[in-house]
Coordinates of all heavy atoms in Angstrom, one line a residue:
W59 N 174.0 107.7 91.5 CA 174.8 106.5 92.0 C 176.3 106.8 92.1 O 176.9 106.4 93.1 CB 174.5 105.3 91.0 CG 175.3 104.1 91.3 CD1 176.6 103.8 90.9 CD2 174.9 103.0 92.2 NE1 177.0 102.6 91.4 CE2 176.0 102.1 92.2 CE3 173.8 102.7 92.9 CZ2 175.9 100.9 92.9 CZ3 173.7 101.5 93.6 CH2 174.8 100.6 93.6
R60 N 176.8 107.5 91.1 CA 178.2 107.8 91.1 C 178.6 108.7 92.3 O 179.6 108.4 93.0 CB 178.6 108.5 89.8 CG 180.1 108.8 89.6 CD 180.4 109.5 88.4 NE 180.1 108.7 87.2 CZ 179.1 109.1 86.3 NH1 178.4 110.2 86.5 NH2 178.9 108.3 85.3
V61 N 177.8 109.7 92.6 CA 178.1 110.5 93.8 C 178.0 109.8 95.0 O 178.8 109.8 95.9 CB 177.2 111.8 93.7 CG1 177.5 112.6 95.0 CG2 177.4 112.6 92.5
S62 N 176.9 109.0 95.1 CA 176.6 108.2 96.3 C 177.7 107.2 96.6 O 178.2 107.1 97.8 CB 175.3 107.4 96.2 OG 175.0 106.6 97.2
M63 N 178.1 106.4 95.6 CA 179.2 105.5 95.9 C 180.5 106.1 96.1 O 181.4 105.5 96.8 CB 179.3 104.5 94.7 CG 178.0 103.6 94.5 SD 177.7 102.5 96.0 CE 176.3 103.4 96.7
G64 N 180.7 107.3 95.6 CA 182.0 108.0 95.9 C 182.1 108.3 97.4 O 183.2 108.2 97.9
Y65 N 181.0 108.6 98.0 CA 181.1 108.8 99.5 C 181.1 107.5 100.2 O 181.8 107.2 101.2 CB 179.9 109.6 99.9 CG 180.0 111.1 99.6 CD1 179.3 111.7 98.6 CD2 180.9 111.9 100.3 CE1 179.4 113.0 98.3 CE2 181.1 113.2 100.0 CZ 180.3 113.8 99.0 OH 180.4 115.1 98.7
H66 N 180.2 106.5 99.8 CA 180.0 105.3 100.5 C 181.3 104.4 100.4 O 181.8 104.0 101.5 CB 178.8 104.5 99.9 CG 178.6 103.2 100.5 ND1 178.2 103.0 101.8 CD2 178.8 101.9 100.0 CE1 178.1 101.7 102.1 NE2 178.5 101.0 101.0
L67 N 181.8 104.2 99.2 CA 182.9 103.3 99.1 C 184.2 104.0 99.5 O 185.3 103.4 99.6 CB 183.0 102.9 97.7 CG 181.9 102.0 97.2 CD1 182.0 101.6 95.7 CD2 181.7 100.8 98.0
G68 N 184.1 105.4 99.7 CA 185.3 106.1 100.2 C 185.6 105.9 101.6 O 186.7 106.3 102.1
L69 N 184.7 105.3 102.4 CA 185.0 105.0 103.8 C 185.9 103.8 103.8 O 185.7 102.7 103.4 CB 183.7 104.6 104.5 CG 182.6 105.7 104.7 CD1 181.3 105.1 105.2 CD2 183.2 106.8 105.6
E70 N 187.1 104.0 104.4 CA 188.1 103.0 104.5 C 187.8 102.1 105.7 O 187.8 102.5 106.8 CB 189.5 103.6 104.6 CG 189.9 104.4 103.4 CD 190.1 103.6 102.2 OE1 190.4 102.4 102.3 OE2 189.9 104.1 101.1
R71 N 187.6 100.8 105.4 CA 187.4 99.8 106.4 C 188.2 98.6 106.1 O 188.4 98.2 104.9 CB 185.9 99.4 106.4 CG 184.9 100.5 106.8 CD 185.0 100.9 108.2 NE 184.2 102.0 108.6 CZ 183.0 101.9 109.0 NH1 182.4 100.8 109.2 NH2 182.3 103.0 109.3
G72 N 188.7 97.9 107.1 CA 189.5 96.7 106.9 C 188.7 95.6 106.4 O 187.8 95.1 107.1
Y73 N 189.0 95.1 105.2 CA 188.1 94.1 104.6 C 187.9 92.8 105.4 O 186.8 92.4 105.7 CB 188.6 93.7 103.2 CG 187.9 92.6 102.5 CD1 186.7 92.9 101.9 CD2 188.3 91.3 102.5 CE1 185.9 91.9 101.2 CE2 187.6 90.3 101.9 CZ 186.4 90.6 101.3 OH 185.7 89.6 100.6
W74 N 189.1 92.2 105.9 CA 189.0 91.0 106.6 C 188.3 91.1 107.9 O 187.6 90.1 108.4 CB 190.4 90.4 106.7 CG 191.0 90.0 105.4 CD1 192.0 90.7 104.7 CD2 190.6 89.0 104.5 NE1 192.2 90.1 103.5 CE2 191.4 89.0 103.3 CE3 189.6 87.9 104.6 CZ2 191.2 88.1 102.3 CZ3 189.5 87.1 103.6 CH2 190.3 87.2 102.4
T75 N 188.5 92.2 108.6 CA 187.8 92.4 109.9 C 186.3 92.4 109.7 O 185.6 91.7 110.4 CB 188.3 93.7 110.6 OG1 189.7 93.5 110.8 CG2 187.6 93.9 111.9
W76 N 185.9 93.2 108.8 CA 184.5 93.4 108.5 C 183.8 92.2 107.9 O 182.6 92.0 107.9 CB 184.2 94.7 107.8 CG 184.5 95.9 108.6 CD1 185.7 96.6 108.7 CD2 183.7 96.5 109.6 NE1 185.7 97.6 109.6 CE2 184.4 97.6 110.2 CE3 182.4 96.3 109.9 CZ2 183.9 98.4 111.2 CZ3 181.8 97.2 110.9 CH2 182.6 98.2 111.5
L77 N 184.6 91.4 107.1 CA 184.1 90.2 106.5 C 183.5 89.3 107.6 O 182.4 88.7 107.4 CB 185.2 89.5 105.8 CG 184.8 88.2 105.0 CD1 183.9 88.6 103.8 CD2 186.1 87.5 104.6
V78 N 184.1 89.2 108.7 CA 183.6 88.4 109.8 C 182.6 89.2 110.7 O 181.5 88.7 111.0 CB 184.8 87.9 110.7 CG1 184.2 87.2 111.9 CG2 185.7 87.1 109.9
Y79 N 182.9 90.5 110.9 CA 182.1 91.2 111.8 C 180.7 91.5 111.3 O 179.7 91.6 112.0 CB 182.8 92.5 112.2 CG 182.0 93.3 113.3 CD1 182.2 92.9 114.7 CD2 181.1 94.3 113.1 CE1 181.5 93.5 115.7 CE2 180.5 94.9 114.1 CZ 180.7 94.5 115.4 OH 180.0 95.1 116.4
H80 N 180.6 91.7 110.0 CA 179.3 92.0 109.4 C 178.3 90.9 109.6 O 177.1 91.2 110.1 CB 179.4 92.2 107.9 CG 179.9 93.6 107.5 ND1 180.6 93.9 106.4 CD2 179.8 94.8 108.2 CE1 180.9 95.1 106.3 NE2 180.5 95.7 107.4
L81 N 178.6 89.7 109.4 CA 177.7 88.5 109.7 C 177.4 88.4 111.1 O 176.3 88.1 111.5 CB 178.3 87.2 109.1 CG 178.4 87.2 107.6 CD1 179.1 85.8 107.2 CD2 177.0 87.3 107.0
Y82 N 178.5 88.6 112.0 CA 178.2 88.5 113.4 C 177.2 89.6 113.8 O 176.3 89.3 114.6 CB 179.6 88.8 114.1 CG 179.5 89.1 115.6 CD1 179.2 88.2 116.5 CD2 179.6 90.5 116.0 CE1 179.1 88.5 117.9 CE2 179.5 90.8 117.3 CZ 179.2 89.8 118.3 OH 179.1 90.2 119.6
D83 N 177.4 90.8 113.4 CA 176.6 92.0 113.7 C 175.1 91.7 113.3 O 174.2 91.9 114.0 CB 177.1 93.2 113.1 CG 176.4 94.5 113.6 OD1 176.0 94.5 114.7 OD2 176.4 95.5 112.8
F84 N 175.0 91.2 112.0 CA 173.6 91.0 111.5 C 172.9 89.9 112.3 O 171.8 90.0 112.6 CB 173.8 90.6 110.0 CG 172.4 90.3 109.4 CD1 171.6 91.2 109.0 CD2 172.1 88.9 109.2 CE1 170.4 90.9 108.4 CE2 170.9 88.6 108.6 CZ 170.0 89.6 108.2
L85 N 173.6 88.8 112.5 CA 173.0 87.6 113.2 C 172.7 87.9 114.6 O 171.7 87.4 115.1 CB 173.9 86.4 113.0 CG 174.0 85.9 111.5 CD1 174.9 84.7 111.5 CD2 172.6 85.5 111.0
V86 N 173.5 88.6 115.3 CA 173.3 88.9 116.7 C 172.0 89.7 116.9 O 171.2 89.5 117.7 CB 174.5 89.6 117.4 CG1 174.1 90.2 118.7 CG2 175.6 88.6 117.6
F87 N 171.9 90.8 116.0 CA 170.7 91.6 116.1 C 169.5 91.0 115.4 O 168.4 91.5 115.6 CB 171.0 93.0 115.5 CG 171.7 93.9 116.4 CD1 173.0 94.0 116.5 CD2 170.9 94.8 117.2 CE1 173.6 94.9 117.4 CE2 171.5 95.6 118.1 CZ 172.9 95.7 118.2
L88 N 169.7 89.9 114.6 CA 168.5 89.1 114.2 C 167.9 88.4 115.4 O 166.7 88.2 115.4 CB 169.0 88.1 113.1 CG 167.9 87.1 112.7 CD1 166.9 87.8 111.8 CD2 168.6 85.9 111.9
G89 N 168.7 88.1 116.4 CA 168.2 87.4 117.5 C 168.9 86.0 117.6 O 168.9 85.3 116.6
L90 N 169.6 85.7 118.6 CA 170.4 84.5 118.7 C 169.6 83.2 118.4 O 170.0 82.3 117.7 CB 171.1 84.4 120.0 CG 172.2 85.5 120.3 CD1 172.8 85.3 121.7 CD2 173.2 85.4 119.2
P91 N 168.3 83.1 119.0 CA 167.5 81.9 118.7 C 167.3 81.7 117.2 O 167.4 80.6 116.6 CB 166.2 82.1 119.5 CG 166.6 83.0 120.5 CD 167.6 83.9 119.9
L92 N 166.9 82.8 116.5 CA 166.6 82.7 115.1 C 167.9 82.5 114.3 O 167.9 81.8 113.3 CB 165.9 84.0 114.6 CG 164.5 84.3 115.1 CD1 163.9 85.5 114.5 CD2 163.6 83.1 114.7
A93 N 169.0 83.1 114.7 CA 170.3 82.9 114.1 C 170.7 81.5 114.1 O 171.2 80.9 113.0 CB 171.4 83.8 114.7
V94 N 170.6 80.8 115.2 CA 170.9 79.4 115.3 C 170.0 78.5 114.4 O 170.5 77.7 113.7 CB 170.8 78.9 116.8 CG1 171.0 77.4 116.8 CG2 171.9 79.6 117.6
L95 N 168.7 78.8 114.4 CA 167.8 78.0 113.6 C 168.1 78.3 112.1 O 168.1 77.3 111.4 CB 166.3 78.5 113.9 CG 165.8 78.0 115.2 CD1 164.5 78.7 115.5 CD2 165.5 76.5 115.2
W96 N 168.4 79.5 111.8 CA 168.7 79.8 110.4 C 170.0 79.1 109.9 O 170.0 78.5 108.8 CB 168.9 81.3 110.2 CG 169.2 81.7 108.8 CD1 168.4 81.6 107.7 CD2 170.5 82.1 108.3 NE1 169.1 82.0 106.6 CE2 170.4 82.4 106.9 CE3 171.7 82.5 108.9 CZ2 171.4 82.8 106.1 CZ3 172.7 82.9 108.1 CH2 172.6 83.1 106.8
L97 N 171.0 79.1 110.7 CA 172.3 78.4 110.3 C 172.1 76.9 110.2 O 172.6 76.3 109.2 CB 173.4 78.7 111.4 CG 173.9 80.2 111.4 CD1 174.8 80.4 112.6 CD2 174.6 80.5 110.1
V98 N 171.3 76.3 111.1 CA 171.0 74.9 110.9 C 170.2 74.6 109.7 O 170.5 73.7 108.9 CB 170.3 74.4 112.2 CG1 169.8 72.9 112.0 CG2 171.2 74.5 113.4
G99 N 169.2 75.5 109.4 CA 168.4 75.4 108.2 C 169.3 75.5 107.0 O 169.0 74.8 106.0
V100 N 170.2 76.4 106.9 CA 171.1 76.6 105.8 C 171.9 75.4 105.5 O 172.1 74.9 104.4 CB 172.0 77.9 106.0 CG1 173.1 77.9 104.9 CG2 171.2 79.1 105.9

């Protein structure tokens, strides 16, 4: 785990940009119809 996270967390990414983009990326590839239904359900 220590070696793995040393490489994984060593990737510098802008936190605030990816905070929004991660959910966008996930929900778009989930499929827009399912994403809308899920958000309403939540």
Side-chain angles (χ1 to χ4, degrees):
W59 175 273
R60 185 182 296 115
V61 178
S62 173
M63 292 300 107
Y65 285 105
H66 176 69
L67 298 178
L69 293 172
E70 295 296 332
R71 298 288 176 92
Y73 176 80
W74 294 107
T75 300
W76 291 92
L77 182 69
V78 177
Y79 189 81
H80 280 155
L81 291 178
Y82 163 80
D83 192 27
F84 177 79
L85 292 177
V86 166
F87 275 90
L88 175 70
L90 296 178
L92 292 182
V94 171
L95 286 168
W96 178 70
L97 289 171
V98 173
V100 169

